[in-house]
Amino acid sequence: MTAGNDTAVLVVQDEDTTSPADVAAWLRDRIDGWPAPDVLLIGVVLGELFDNARRHGAPPFVIELVLDHWRERLVVSVRDRSLRPSGPWRTAAGLMLVAALSERWGVVSQGRNTTVWAEIPFRD
């Protein structure tokens, strides 16, 4: 992702045709040239969010990366269709990892869609 390409979106229509490894490859293509520690950090956060969506939701899964130059952050989000009405969220190990690796994270439930997002600050 470079100037002029501040948003990247991947829509996964069917969980059988797009594996976590495919999503990781898509991510690497989007952030090619970024420092290796950032690539690893973003990959772990996105991997956890995508894994949660596959475990607790249903396709389509919408993965979005947004560069926020003003606030010097990359916002990573994954939206899924909820299988059941959203209840209180429990922070299990995967989301604890997201919380530790990101500056902020959160959940937005709207209708049958749930989006989990995380903000990752740019490193100097």
Side-chain angles (χ1 to χ4, degrees), residues 5-62:
N5 296 314
D6 293 344
T7 301
V9 177
L10 173 65
V11 178
V12 177
Q13 296 288 347
D14 179 340
E15 61 187 286
D16 294 332
T17 59
T18 305
S19 71
D22 295 330
V23 171
W26 173 84
L27 174 65
R28 284 191 305 275
D29 287 346
R30 302 287 110 23
I31 58 176
D32 185 45
W34 286 38
D38 290 344
V39 172
L40 179 61
L41 174 78
I42 296 163
V44 170
V45 170
L46 176 56
E48 289 298 330
L49 296 182
F50 184 60
D51 186 50
N52 254 7
R54 287 171 44 105
R55 181 174 292 125
H56 301 291
F61 305 109
V62 179

Side-chain angles (χ1 to χ4, degrees), residues 71-122:
R71 295 180 52 237
E72 298 181 333
R73 307 215 170 332
L74 175 68
V75 180
V76 178
S77 65
V78 179
R79 184 176 71 230
D80 64 70
R81 301 261 316 151
S82 299
L83 297 174
R84 57 193 166 283
S86 182
W89 272 71
R90 291 186 344 219
T91 304
L95 288 177
M96 287 174 58
L97 187 57
V98 169
L101 295 176
S102 61
E103 185 162 288
R104 295 183 330 143
W105 73 277
V107 179
V108 177
S109 294
Q110 189 172 21
R112 298 272 320 203
N113 295 316
T114 299
T115 302
V116 183
W117 56 269
E119 291 183 356
I120 302 169
F122 296 160

